[in-house]
Each structure stands twice: as C-alpha cells, then as structure tokens.
Amino acid sequence: MTLQENLNNMMGLDDIMISFAVSVGAGIATNLIEDIRSNKNLDARMNKCFNNALKKWEVSQETRNNLHSESLNFYSDLAVFLSNPAKGINPKIKELLHLWIKEIQNDEICANYIISHKQDVANCKLNDVLVSLKNDILTTINIIAERQENMLKKQDDMMEFLQTQMQALTKDETIDQAKKLIAILRGSIAELIEDLKLTTVRRVIEEIELQYASVIENNQELRSEIAYIKGLTLLFSQSPKAIELFHEAYIIRPDVPNYMQMEVRRCLAKCDYETARKLSEELGDERYKIIVDIVSSNNSASAFAVIPENIKRDMEVRQIMLESLVVKKDANCAFLFDCEDIDLPESLKMSNIYQWLFLLSKIRCETGDFIVLSFNASQIDNLKSAQKAVNLFWKKLEETEIKGNFYLIACLHSYWNFVCTQDKSWADSFLSIDRTNLAHLKKCVD
C-alpha cells in the first residue's frame, strides 16, 4: 500500500470536511468547485452554509462584507482573502473555516456530497503541497496568536518563511521530494500530532522512511524533523527512546528552538545543570531560563517564589519543573502545587497535555494519592473533584491514540470512582490493572 493510500484510509469525517474547506479556500479544488456550480440546488445550499458561517464569524463588519456573496463567487473571494497576508493570514481564518464546516455538516445534502467525493478531497489534501503549507500556516498562526505578546518577531519570521516556501513550491519545476515531505510533516502530520494521533503518525513516518530513505539521508532538515516527530510519537509510551530521538534531532540541527527545548529537558533529567543553563541562554526563552534556575537551586521553593507571576501561572512550566525535580534526590515538589484551582481545559491536545498532567498531579497531592482502598477516605470532597477531573481526562483520551500509555491515571480513574460511587466493579477494574508498568514511576510529593 502506498503512502497516499495509507493516508487516505486514515482520513475520518472531520478530516474530509476540513480538507474540503481548506482546499477550496486555497483555490485548488477546481474540479469540485465546477461540479458544485453545475448543480443549482447544491450551489445554493453551499452558498447558504458559507453565509451562515459568516454571520457567526466574530470579525468586523467590513471583513465580513468582503466575503459575503450571493453566489459561489465566494470560492475565489476566499482564495484571494487567504493568500493576502494583510487579510487572510490571521488567527480568525481557521475559525471561519470551522464555522463553515459545521454548517455543511448540518446540511445533509452538502455533507453527503463531500463524503461521496472523499477520494477527490483526499487527493486535494495529500497531493498538493500548497494545501499542506496552508494547513501549516493556519496551525502555526493559531499557536503564535496565543503567545502574541512575546513572539511578534517570531511571527513575522515564521510568516516570511512559510510564504517563501509557498511561492517556491507552487512552481512545478522547483518542487523536489524533500520539500514535499517537509511540507507534509509540517502540515498534515503536525495536525495529527496536535490531535494526539501518535500511532497513526508512527505508521506514516515508517512508510515515509521506507519509500524515501535516500532523500531523507541526504537532507539534514528532513532527517532532524523526522527524528523529532518520532520522539513526539514515543513521548508517552517509551520516554527514554523519545529523549534519544530528540537528542538526535538536536545534534543534527542544534539551532532549532523546539530541539533546543527538548535538549534542555534532557540535561535537566541528567542533572547536568551547567549545560542546561548554557542552552537555555542560547535559546533565549525566559521560561526555560527560569526552569533551569528553579530546578538547579538548592532551595527551589524560595527561588520559585520570586519569579514573574505570568510564568508562575504557566502550568506547562510547572509540569516541566515537576518532572525535572523528581529526579533529584530528596527533592520537595510540594511548593509547585500551591496555586489556585486550575480550570479544566476544554480539549486534550499535544499543546495542552502538560496542563492536564500538572492538574492531575496537583489533585494527587491534594488527595494524598491512592493509599488504601476504603469507603472512608478522609478527603472525600477532594476525591469527588478528583473523580470529575480524571473522568473528563479519561473521556478525552478516548479520542486520542495514547490512552494505553497512562497506567497511573488508569489506576487513579478506577480508584477515585470506586471511592466516590462505592461500586465494587471499579475496585475490580483497579485490581485488574497490571501495576508492574508503574515500577519506573517516582512519587512526586512526600
């Protein structure tokens, strides 16, 4: 089976809808557009879905008016809008496309049309490098927007980089295999990673390595990116191997920020604070400088007390500190949990999983972990809160491909439900978990 066939088979309903919207917006799904225009009823319904989405789009009236249309001319209008950096390259575009997708899904005729043309949509998504890059732009801008205050310069640099690649890759004579593969890694594959579809990503990467071994071997950027992505896919199942892969990516290209961050964390895990400090200074990320200072301090609690409030509130920072501190002999991590109640995230993504993990660690601290199986637990109110949090996390794990990697949380899930519901089946579930997988885990608090 080819790489394209594998990817086509992996596309679910949401993937198909997203691919359709982005392909149309990129102005490349010409066959689909002409087919829709030839059907007056479908034409009118698609147009109605789009304009319904426009009405719900939270932007200025002027921006909304620029795209409002009584006919399917909005396809070309949207393509122009997306390709204009002054208008289309902004965080709101992804929101518009998702609103449009929701409207299409609510229209049976429109939805059935797209599903029946799944192969055509898949071809648009997987064969045209422009789509991969367009997806990458939307994802990148969405992430950058969340950190806009301290990343404006990086935003400009990233946009210039992506625009340059787009211009080059849309000229057939300049497209080569390495660039195509990098575009896929940073587009479709990046989306799968964000959705924690890590098993799927591993299969795709294995296929890429099999079919394009010589291309990868001769391109440092491609080699390092594949090593880094493979590390991400193993982060929650084989962390030692993941760390090796991150290190491999860093050795190949030591100036890439993502690789540098993982290398700092590797050094902290080895208690090599001198190297970690040097790397954090080269990285220029204040968060990582502070993480190194806290973890390497002889009095981490006192050092933590004086850091800027915005970094104190960063739960990802706290989780990285927690993971780094537990490897120190006699380290006390309790000060990290001295914070106000944390809101549960609305989703579970690669970009917020550390917030989830810190939240669950905090609850473990507050409940005294699972000590004995008893209906008379002293912190029953805390356990009810714990039950709610772990049940929500467990439910969201169902939508990912990493549920089997969280043995400790599986234990907590069964135990907290057992205590709160007094349902013996939860005790049976708890006792059925193979706890030999927990042998390598360290207790985070005394």
Side-chain angles (χ1 to χ4, degrees), residues 185-221:
L185 294 178
R186 292 175 179 168
S188 304
I189 302 304
E191 289 180 1
L192 290 171
I193 291 172
E194 175 66 2
D195 289 336
L196 295 169
K197 307 292 187 183
L198 303 187
T199 302
T200 297
V201 172
R202 280 199 296 274
R203 291 201 302 265
V204 175
I205 293 299
E206 287 171 2
E207 189 71 24
I208 288 175
E209 288 183 306
L210 180 65
Q211 294 197 26
Y212 299 98
S214 61
V215 178
I216 295 168
E217 180 63 29
N218 294 316
N219 188 288
Q220 284 192 334
E221 185 177 8

Side-chain angles (χ1 to χ4, degrees), residues 38-39 45 61 149 155 191 201 229 238 289 303 321 350 354 362 367 435 443 446:
S38 67
N39 184 323
R45 285 176 173 271
Q61 189 61 45
E149 291 183 1
Q155 177 179 356
E191 289 180 1
V201 172
I229 289 173
Q238 302 178 46
K289 291 179 184 177
M321 288 180 183
M350 178 66 84
Y354 286 103
K362 181 176 186 291
T367 58
R435 284 178 293 283
K443 189 173 176 68
D446 295 330

Side-chain angles (χ1 to χ4, degrees), residues 290 304-315 318:
I290 289 175
F304 182 82
V306 298
I307 67 175
E309 286 298 320
N310 65 313
I311 295 182
K312 275 186 183 178
R313 292 192 298 269
D314 190 326
M315 297 304 118
R318 289 190 187 230

Side-chain angles (χ1 to χ4, degrees), residues 21-28 33-34 37 47 50-51 54 57 62-90 93 96-97 100 134:
V22 175
S23 299
V24 166
I28 59 174
I33 293 172
E34 290 306 316
R37 282 174 170 158
N47 192 72
F50 186 75
N51 283 316
L54 281 176
W57 196 29
E62 180 183 359
T63 299
R64 188 179 288 104
N65 290 343
N66 284 338
L67 285 176
H68 182 75
S69 177
E70 297 301 328
S71 71
L72 281 179
N73 288 332
F74 72 76
Y75 285 129
S76 57
D77 293 340
L78 182 57
V80 171
F81 193 84
L82 279 167
S83 63
N84 185 335
K87 294 182 178 180
I89 307 302
N90 67 70
I93 281 295
L96 172 59
L97 294 180
W100 185 24
K134 185 65 67 177

Side-chain angles (χ1 to χ4, degrees), residues 382-434:
N382 281 343
L383 283 172
K384 287 181 178 178
S385 175
Q387 177 200 25
K388 176 183 177 182
V390 79
N391 284 352
L392 182 59
F393 182 72
W394 204 249
K395 179 180 179 181
K396 292 184 180 298
L397 274 177
E398 297 275 8
E399 302 169 7
T400 73
E401 296 175 353
I402 60 173
K403 184 175 181 179
N405 302 144
F406 291 92
Y407 298 104
L408 175 58
I409 293 175
C411 288
L412 295 173
H413 180 235
S414 296
Y415 172 70
W416 288 339
N417 275 290
F418 167 70
V419 173
C420 293
T421 67
Q422 301 187 22
D423 183 343
K424 185 179 178 298
S425 65
W426 285 111
D428 295 336
S429 174
F430 177 88
L431 294 171
S432 70
I433 297 171
D434 182 4

Side-chain angles (χ1 to χ4, degrees), residues 131-356:
V131 175
S132 294
L133 287 174
K134 185 65 67 177
N135 284 340
D136 188 40
I137 286 176
L138 299 177
T139 302
T140 301
I141 291 302
N142 193 44
I143 294 170
I144 289 173
E146 294 174 0
R147 303 177 180 178
Q148 190 171 7
E149 291 183 1
N150 61 354
M151 292 187 68
L152 290 178
K153 184 178 185 301
K154 290 186 179 181
Q155 177 179 356
D156 293 337
D157 292 343
M158 181 64 76
M159 289 314 308
E160 182 179 353
F161 170 74
L162 291 171
Q163 291 283 25
T164 300
Q165 283 212 6
M166 283 183 64
Q167 291 170 4
L169 292 172
T170 49
K171 299 178 181 178
D172 291 345
E173 65 271 16
T174 67
I175 297 178
D176 60 33
Q177 288 180 321
K179 287 182 178 179
K180 285 183 180 178
L181 291 173
I182 290 170
I184 290 172
L185 294 178
R186 292 175 179 168
S188 304
I189 302 304
E191 289 180 1
L192 290 171
I193 291 172
E194 175 66 2
D195 289 336
L196 295 169
K197 307 292 187 183
L198 303 187
T199 302
T200 297
V201 172
R202 280 199 296 274
R203 291 201 302 265
V204 175
I205 293 299
E206 287 171 2
E207 189 71 24
I208 288 175
E209 288 183 306
L210 180 65
Q211 294 197 26
Y212 299 98
S214 61
V215 178
I216 295 168
E217 180 63 29
N218 294 316
N219 188 288
Q220 284 192 334
E221 185 177 8
L222 196 50
R223 277 168 45 215
S224 62
E225 192 75 4
I226 285 178
Y228 178 72
I229 289 173
K230 287 168 69 175
L232 290 176
T233 68
L234 298 174
L235 191 55
F236 307 109
S237 58
Q238 302 178 46
S239 56
K241 178 63 176 176
I243 291 171
E244 290 178 14
L245 288 162
F246 293 142
H247 182 60
E248 179 184 331
Y250 169 75
I251 292 299
I252 297 172
R253 298 183 69 214
D255 59 338
V256 178
N258 286 346
Y259 307 166
M260 294 175 74
Q261 289 176 0
M262 289 302 187
E263 186 66 10
V264 170
R265 293 170 66 174
R266 188 183 78 91
C267 292
L268 290 175
K270 295 171 59 182
C271 299
D272 182 0
Y273 302 133
E274 182 178 348
T275 304
R277 181 170 289 103
K278 180 181 177 182
L279 278 171
S280 68
E281 291 172 355
E282 292 177 5
L283 179 59
D285 186 329
E286 184 183 12
R287 298 179 311 152
Y288 275 82
K289 291 179 184 177
I290 289 175
I291 289 170
V292 173
D293 288 342
I294 300 299
V295 175
S296 62
S297 174
N298 291 327
N299 191 334
S300 296
S302 297
F304 182 82
V306 298
I307 67 175
E309 286 298 320
N310 65 313
I311 295 182
K312 275 186 183 178
R313 292 192 298 269
D314 190 326
M315 297 304 118
E316 179 179 345
V317 167
R318 289 190 187 230
Q319 178 63 21
I320 295 172
M321 288 180 183
L322 178 62
E323 293 175 358
S324 302
L325 281 169
V326 294
V327 302
K328 292 179 68 175
K329 187 177 181 180
D330 300 325
N332 178 14
C333 306
F335 69 91
L336 289 172
F337 304 120
D338 184 15
C339 55
E340 297 177 358
D341 291 340
I342 308 166
D343 292 333
L344 296 171
E346 294 182 0
S347 62
L348 174 60
K349 302 286 185 180
M350 178 66 84
S351 56
N352 69 8
I353 193 168
Y354 286 103
Q355 183 178 345
W356 275 104

